[in-house]
Amino acid sequence: MKRFILTAILFLFVVSSAFGSAKFESQIFPILEKRCFKCHGQDKQKSDPRLDSVAGINKGGNSGEPLFVRGNSGESLITHLINSDDLEERMPPEGESELTVEERSLITEWIDDGAQMPLPEKVIELSTDHWSFQPVQRPQIPELKGDWGNNEIDSFILKKMRSKNLSPSSVSEPRKLIRRIYLVMHGLPPSEDMVRRHLKQITNDDWSSVVDEVLASPHYGERFARHWLDIVRFAETNGFETNRERLTAYHFRDYVIRSFNEDRPYDHFIIEQLAGDALGVDVGTGFLVAGPHDIVKSPDINLTLMQRNDEMADMINTTGTTFLGLTIGCARCHNHKFDPILQKDYYSMQAVFSGVQYGERMMPKENNEAAKQALVQLEKKVQSMSRELDALKLISSKLKAEKTVNSIKREAVNALGNTEIFDEIQTKHVRFTVRRTNNGSQPCIDELRVFNTEGQNVALAKNGARPESSGNLKGYQIHKLAHINDGKDGNSRSWISDIAGTGWVKINFAKASKINRIEWARDREGKFSDRLAIDYIIEHSLDGQSWHKIASSEDREPYGGAVAAKDAFLAFLSDKDAERGRNLIQNLQRTRNEISSYRNGAKAWIAKFAKPGKTHRLYRGDPMAKREVVAPDTLKILGSLKMSEDEDEQQRRFKLAQSIASKKNPLTARVMVNRLWQFVFGVGIVDTPSDLGTNGTDPSHSQLLDWLASEFMQKDWSIKHMLSLILCSDTFRQSSGPRDEALKIDAGSRYLWRFPPRRLEAEAIRDSILAVAGTLDLNMGGPGFYLLDVDRENVVHYHPKEKTGPGEWRRMIYMFKIRQEQDLIFGAFDCPDGNQVIPERSRSTTPIQALNLFNSHFMVQQSGKMADKLLKEAGNSVEEQVRTAYQLYYGRPALVEEINDATEFVRDHSLADFCRAMFNSNEFLFTF
């Protein structure tokens, strides 16, 4: 490469106007010409241009560095190389005759004088003939004879099969097929009711209805979101040595789940993740900052700059691999060695992301009609759960009374929140009178909510309600009367009386309403517990004159001087009711948080933005070796966005996102449909799903890939449409059974002569165990649960939990994802640690996996729960227990020999041991 640069420069002296004298040409040119063509072609990479021409010199070599800086020989690469003391980089290379002092001076003088060259005969354009960069063309569907095949996909698959002397397998047995589609698309086994219903549909030749039902389930979004979060390196801690938590990062996870469930068009999904703030979907920008972030800064400017460049490299790399299937990061230090990506392209993309910062910020409130309707439904949900929880509290109080021989009392007041539920009342005014507080100070209420029978808060000021009070604390803007019904929680938006220990506040509704619930609190954010009303009465009036009691503190337990434990009442309930109560408490808090987000907006770990500075191309990626300023842009091979160096920060990302999501982009649709294929069959048509470049593999079915990409764009980028096509194909419905003759030709089943069986991922294994045992909490969204205990110091330490309870029995997509750490049991099943993008998980088989699935506390615990479930559903008959177990575990009846063997095993050991063995069986752990 060095020889090309040198000889090309010397060659240009000959044709340069500054050095074009006859004497110069006659004395020096023959030597230079001989040297140039002697060296040309040796050690030459296939993507190098010819450097013995003006066009080649203008384009430069693979380093990404220009050969010279006109007018400045001291900053020119060629000058450095011909004068270098390093034998490895000096040119001409060792073994060639060295340049004379006069020749070096000639080069220096030429550059300092402006390095004049004649115009090139032609401009060398960046180009490639690699398949993935070519426009997507919709191929003709193969016309093949035979009865096999249900749609276009099958035609392409059958054509390839026949070319390899393969033939399709028969249709899978219906029960296996039903179990397969649920495990693949939901990561959960189907219930017995589902199996029965789908068997009828299959009998009626209505498989498409099964597919529609599966895709309509919210469990589909949870399943596919886990795959996507692997691809975008999502986790909920910063990584590096401090590894601190990101307690609000879950908003992005929930956004991804919603997006797949709502079948958000993929082109919109792309734009929202790169520039969602331009569309009012700020939560989508969590994509940009989902990766590791080093919060420990260095006083050394070199390290600080390198750290910032590493952050932007993460954004560039993830954007490239996720949406374009290209390893753009390989061009950070030089032109890409394999793909048509220049080093300048890399820094143009860095300019796009240079204003992106890490951290939390408030997301804007949603004020559209859909948000309002969602808020009404959430309020109704809270009302229903509150009623159920209060009913459990009443049962608990009765049971407690039987033990303590005391009168039945409600729980003591709580600074975090209190609920008064009563029979329906028609009224127009509600008055809350505080007679005593816990510390004698002026009483404080952060929000007084009054709900009608439809679950609407009629006390809100925006609904026309007007507050009055006995008097308001003066001089504090955060404690105004208007805050009592402004819809916002917390001490900073609360009302305080001006009388020590007492005071009243009244809400006058816009019109008479039927009410049945009131909620009040001192500070729902949990920061303050003083000024709490511990002796109070709540009254109502229809005419504003005569008042009637609704509720009071008289029927509550005495206030104990501290915030009462929310779950203290559970101790007096049966195990079943206590478990229900715990779930209600968690779901109630989760729903109230969601309501708060709708009302006030929510804080989330999403991208923050600042005005970008100038972006320079960096020599060899060194932040201290700045070269020319570059404007924000996309890859040159994909066109130009024609942005200026001072383009608006948001517009940089928005325009890049639009170019990626364009139907003219040859990569985007191919990359995504390949991922969908991988999601269903385990391996993509291209088995390097995040690298469709030259260094990736060729597609196994190139025409099918292009047909899918074309169909994807024609159908408005609908992911569910594409999955429906794949799932309705005969290719998907084939048996997974092996055939000796086919295995000899295609042992990996890449040509889909059968459905490729595979082991479930860690999340699907854990979720399926909980689902079958009847302990799975299917509540969606919100903050995640922890499978590790946390020591929150400057450097946060995590320790795996050995024992778990109902609080940890949610779907694993909702596990708080900690970088660099794994949970005690399922981390062994190739879970990513969140430090890098994982387009495709490995599937290892290790002794520790077997030990974890057999001997861990979790497995023993769930096996015991399963045994209890079988006793309840099948009674004391061992044979009935075995029959029921086979239906629950495998979705099929047990064979006679299986019943005999299992019955003998249960009698020799135990029902719990049998359940544990079933959880460890291949039929349970694999998709067939």
Side-chain angles (χ1 to χ4, degrees):
M1 176 67 192
K2 290 179 250 179
R3 287 179 286 190
F4 308 150
I5 296 173
L6 174 63
T7 54
I9 291 291
L10 295 178
F11 175 75
L12 286 171
F13 290 154
V14 180
V15 293
S16 153
S17 60
F19 293 87
S21 68
K23 181 178 179 181
F24 182 87
E25 292 182 8
S26 63
Q27 292 181 1
I28 300 176
F29 178 68
I31 301 172
L32 301 179
E33 184 180 37
K34 181 178 180 181
R35 178 178 292 171
C36 174
F37 290 105
K38 176 183 177 183
C39 296
H40 200 293
Q42 296 180 23
D43 304 322
K44 184 173 182 291
Q45 297 198 13
K46 65 178 181 179
S47 55
D48 279 345
R50 290 180 61 88
L51 299 181
D52 54 354
S53 67
V54 175
I57 289 293
N58 282 333
K59 183 173 182 183
N62 277 336
S63 70
E65 189 74 3
L67 303 182
F68 51 79
V69 179
R70 284 188 170 91
N72 190 344
S73 59
E75 292 294 325
S76 296
L77 176 64
I78 183 67
T79 309
H80 169 75
L81 293 175
I82 63 176
N83 293 295
S84 176
D85 293 329
D86 185 347
L87 295 179
E88 290 294 322
E89 67 174 5
R90 184 195 300 170
M91 28 179 249
E94 193 173 3
E96 302 286 342
S97 58
E98 293 189 11
L99 294 180
T100 65
V101 173
E102 290 77 10
E103 287 172 329
R104 293 178 189 176
S105 297
L106 191 64
I107 293 173
T108 301
E109 182 183 348
W110 176 69
I111 293 173
D112 288 337
D113 284 348
Q116 296 299 314
M117 294 185 294
L119 292 174
E121 295 178 5
K122 65 176 182 178
V123 176
I124 299 178
E125 296 290 345
L126 193 65
S127 63
T128 178
D129 59 0
H130 187 65
W131 65 268
S132 64
F133 290 92
Q134 309 313 309
V136 174
Q137 302 288 342
R138 192 178 182 91
Q140 277 194 324
I141 299 164
E143 295 183 6
L144 302 172
K145 295 180 180 179
D147 297 331
W148 191 83
N150 185 52
N151 60 27
E152 296 88 344
I153 290 173
D154 298 322
S155 297
F156 289 104
I157 293 294
L158 184 59
K159 179 181 178 182
K160 178 65 74 169
M161 265 196 270
R162 288 180 175 174
S163 73
K164 301 294 180 180
N165 294 320
L166 294 166
S167 60
S169 295
S170 59
V171 176
S172 180
E173 193 273 322
R175 288 179 179 272
K176 286 185 178 180
L177 189 57
I178 293 166
R179 180 174 173 81
R180 175 192 300 168
I181 195 171
Y182 272 86
L183 291 177
V184 168
M185 300 307 298
H186 292 178
L188 293 169
S191 68
E192 290 183 88
D193 288 341
M194 293 171 179
V195 172
R196 281 193 291 268
R197 183 170 64 254
H198 295 326
L199 285 173
K200 290 179 182 178
Q201 291 169 319
I202 292 173
T203 301
N204 295 329
D205 196 23
D206 191 16
W207 174 250
S208 62
S209 293
V210 180
V211 171
D212 291 343
E213 185 173 331
V214 167
L215 290 175
S217 168
H219 300 320
Y220 149 72
E222 293 173 320
R223 175 72 161 150
F224 200 87
R226 180 64 267 168
H227 180 57
W228 188 258
L229 295 177
D230 282 2
I231 294 168
V232 304
R233 82 312 188 201
F234 172 82
E236 295 170 88
T237 63
N238 285 334
F240 294 95
E241 63 268 32
T242 58
N243 207 16
R244 292 184 186 172
E245 297 156 288
R246 301 173 178 176
L247 297 176
T248 58
Y250 69 87
H251 288 287
F252 176 71
R253 174 248 290 155
D254 289 351
Y255 155 79
V256 173
I257 294 171
R258 285 196 306 274
S259 296
F260 287 123
N261 277 331
E262 294 168 4
D263 198 22
R264 185 160 299 169
Y266 183 63
D267 56 342
H268 295 188
F269 189 50
I270 293 170
I271 295 172
E272 288 171 4
Q273 290 177 87
L274 294 174
D277 52 308
L279 304 173
V281 192
D282 295 54
V283 66
T285 64
F287 163 85
L288 296 169
V289 293
H293 173 52
D294 192 354
I295 63 172
V296 179
K297 306 304 177 185
S298 170
D300 185 337
I301 186 63
N302 291 333
L303 294 177
T304 300
L305 289 173
M306 183 60 74
Q307 195 176 54
R308 177 57 181 160
N309 273 270
D310 288 344
E311 290 176 354
M312 289 185 286
D314 173 69
M315 298 177 204
I316 296 165
N317 296 345
T318 307
T319 300
T321 56
T322 300
F323 301 121
L324 298 172
L326 294 176
T327 54
I328 300 173
C330 293
R332 180 176 178 179
C333 301
H334 48 71
N335 293 346
H336 201 292
K337 296 293 185 183
F338 304 99
D339 294 328
I341 304 173
L342 304 176
Q343 189 194 28
K344 184 181 177 182
D345 291 346
Y346 175 90
Y347 288 98
S348 292
M349 287 194 70
Q350 188 182 91
V352 171
F353 297 116
S354 59
V356 178
Q357 306 289 330
Y358 289 77
E360 287 183 320
R361 68 177 173 92
M362 292 298 295
M363 295 189 296
K365 291 191 295 183
E366 295 185 62
N367 292 316
N368 53 47
E369 190 59 34
K372 292 176 183 177
Q373 291 299 318
L375 187 57
V376 170
Q377 294 304 315
L378 289 171
E379 292 283 12
K380 289 182 178 179
K381 188 176 179 181
V382 165
Q383 185 175 16
S384 174
M385 288 190 291
S386 295
R387 284 184 178 280
E388 191 172 353
L389 195 60
D390 282 344
L392 289 175
K393 289 177 180 178
L394 184 60
I395 294 172
S396 175
S397 296
K398 290 179 180 179
L399 294 172
K400 181 180 178 182
E402 291 173 3
K403 292 183 178 181
T404 59
V405 199
N406 288 330
S407 59
I408 299 172
K409 295 276 189 179
R410 292 191 293 152
E411 64 180 347
V413 294
N414 192 316
L416 290 169
N418 305 277
T419 303
E420 316 288 344
I421 294 181
F422 41 88
D423 292 334
E424 177 183 309
I425 297 169
Q426 178 83 5
T427 191
K428 194 175 180 182
H429 311 272
V430 168
R431 183 172 65 192
F432 190 117
T433 302
V434 181
R435 298 184 288 216
R436 184 162 59 95
T437 61
N438 61 341
N439 64 345
S441 297
Q442 300 94 328
C444 176
I445 299 175
D446 77 343
E447 182 79 8
L448 185 59
R449 300 173 183 164
V450 183
F451 296 93
N452 64 17
T453 53
E454 295 178 354
Q456 297 172 323
N457 182 1
V458 294
L460 283 171
K462 68 178 183 180
N463 291 336
R466 180 175 55 84
E468 296 180 40
S469 73
S470 56
N472 312 308
L473 186 65
K474 304 295 189 294
Y476 295 89
Q477 287 297 309
I478 65 173
H479 299 306
K480 297 190 297 185
L481 176 61
H483 293 167
I484 195 69
N485 65 334
D486 64 353
K488 298 180 179 179
D489 299 335
N491 182 71
S492 61
R493 302 286 298 188
S494 62
W495 167 78
I496 294 184
S497 167
D498 63 349
I499 307 171
T502 187
W504 58 263
V505 65
K506 180 171 66 173
I507 305 291
N508 305 299
F509 308 150
K511 61 181 180 180
S513 299
K514 293 180 179 180
I515 65 170
N516 59 4
R517 178 166 57 96
I518 294 173
E519 293 181 1
W520 63 276
R522 161 62 180 96
D523 178 16
R524 287 177 174 84
E525 293 180 345
K527 297 177 181 177
F528 297 89
S529 58
D530 60 344
R531 304 178 185 273
L532 174 64
I534 59 174
D535 185 2
Y536 65 90
I537 184 171
I538 303 175
E539 301 162 290
H540 83 95
S541 174
L542 190 58
D543 58 9
Q545 301 297 320
S546 55
W547 293 87
H548 308 278
K549 176 181 171 182
I550 296 175
S552 74
S553 55
E554 294 172 356
D555 64 342
R556 288 188 178 274
E557 293 281 355
Y559 178 72
V563 177
K566 288 184 178 181
D567 59 355
F569 72 97
L570 299 176
F572 300 96
L573 295 174
S574 66
D575 289 344
K576 181 180 178 181
D577 285 345
E579 187 170 329
R580 178 60 184 154
R582 276 189 289 269
N583 288 334
L584 281 169
I585 291 170
Q586 292 172 1
N587 297 336
L588 199 55
Q589 185 59 52
R590 196 176 297 137
T591 307
R592 283 173 173 157
N593 289 343
E594 198 171 349
I595 289 172
S596 178
S597 296
Y598 273 103
R599 286 180 176 152
N600 310 322
K603 185 178 284 188
W605 182 275
I606 54 178
K608 300 165 68 175
F609 308 106
K611 184 177 180 180
K614 299 290 186 185
T615 298
H616 296 260
R617 187 181 58 80
L618 303 180
Y619 176 55
R620 294 184 177 178
D622 182 355
M624 301 303 289
K626 292 182 179 178
R627 294 298 189 259
E628 74 277 9
V629 173
V630 296
D633 211 337
T634 186
L635 306 180
K636 186 177 181 181
I637 192 71
L638 298 177
S640 175
L641 304 180
K642 303 188 183 306
M643 291 190 280
S644 64
E645 294 171 5
D646 57 354
E647 184 79 28
D648 173 73
E649 190 283 326
Q650 187 182 82
Q651 284 300 303
R652 298 177 184 213
R653 292 177 288 106
F654 186 63
K655 289 180 180 179
L656 175 67
Q658 285 182 312
S659 72
I660 292 174
S662 169
K663 291 182 178 180
K664 294 180 180 178
N665 192 311
L667 294 160
T668 309
R670 285 183 172 121
V671 170
M672 190 55 183
V673 295
N674 186 61
R675 294 196 193 281
L676 299 180
W677 194 266
Q678 174 197 344
F679 177 61
V680 174
F681 292 108
V683 179
I685 294 173
V686 179
D687 63 10
T688 52
S690 285
D691 187 1
L692 269 62
T694 308
N695 214 30
T697 60
D698 289 333
S700 59
H701 301 76
S702 56
Q703 285 192 317
L704 173 59
L705 182 64
D706 273 16
W707 186 88
L708 291 170
S710 172
E711 179 75 6
F712 191 30
M713 292 186 285
Q714 283 189 14
K715 298 299 181 181
D716 298 322
W717 303 88
S718 169
I719 292 173
K720 285 191 177 182
H721 170 74
M722 299 308 299
L723 287 171
S724 179
L725 280 175
I726 296 170
L727 297 172
C728 285
S729 70
D730 280 354
T731 304
F732 176 78
R733 297 204 298 168
Q734 291 180 100
S735 165
S736 62
R739 305 199 319 262
D740 290 342
E741 71 282 1
L743 286 171
K744 291 176 183 177
I745 299 171
D746 179 27
S749 307
R750 284 299 307 279
Y751 299 114
L752 282 304
W753 52 270
R754 65 166 176 165
F755 179 83
R758 63 185 187 270
R759 192 185 67 197
L760 296 173
E761 304 90 341
E763 293 86 352
I765 294 173
R766 185 179 191 269
D767 293 350
S768 295
I769 290 169
L770 292 169
V772 171
T775 55
L776 180 62
D777 178 356
L778 288 172
N779 282 288
M780 299 177 65
F785 66 91
Y786 284 75
L787 286 179
L788 293 94
D789 290 317
V790 187
D791 290 338
R792 294 179 176 89
E793 301 172 359
N794 181 49
V795 175
V796 183
H797 300 284
Y798 302 92
H799 311 284
K801 291 182 178 179
E802 293 192 9
K803 296 182 179 181
T804 62
E808 293 86 20
W809 294 346
R810 298 179 68 193
R811 294 206 68 177
M812 206 170 171
I813 182 73
Y814 300 114
M815 178 189 73
F816 191 89
K817 184 66 178 175
I818 299 168
R819 279 193 168 86
Q820 303 164 187
E821 301 286 348
Q822 298 286 6
D823 83 276
L824 196 61
I825 304 164
F826 296 94
F829 287 85
D830 309 300
C831 282
D833 67 1
N835 270 332
Q836 56 188 353
V837 297
I838 301 293
E840 186 177 23
R841 291 196 191 183
S842 57
R843 290 190 182 89
S844 64
T845 302
T846 67
I848 194 67
Q849 293 170 351
L851 290 170
N852 286 353
L853 277 187
F854 205 75
N855 295 327
S856 65
H857 177 270
F858 174 83
M859 292 303 302
V860 173
Q861 176 191 59
Q862 295 305 315
S863 298
K865 295 285 185 182
M866 185 63 188
D868 292 341
K869 182 178 179 180
L870 292 176
L871 282 168
K872 181 180 178 181
E873 294 189 13
N876 294 323
S877 167
V878 176
E879 287 191 6
E880 283 303 312
Q881 292 167 2
V882 169
R883 287 192 178 93
T884 303
Y886 271 81
Q887 288 286 0
L888 294 174
Y889 277 96
Y890 306 146
R892 66 170 177 83
L895 302 174
V896 173
E897 55 269 28
E898 289 173 330
I899 295 173
N900 294 336
D901 290 344
T903 299
E904 184 179 352
F905 181 91
V906 172
R907 287 172 177 157
D908 289 346
H909 298 276
S910 70
L911 184 57
D913 287 340
F914 166 68
C915 293
R916 192 153 40 125
M918 294 285 279
F919 279 134
N920 278 268
S921 62
N922 280 350
E923 191 170 350
F924 184 77
L925 297 173
F926 277 70
T927 304
F928 290 103

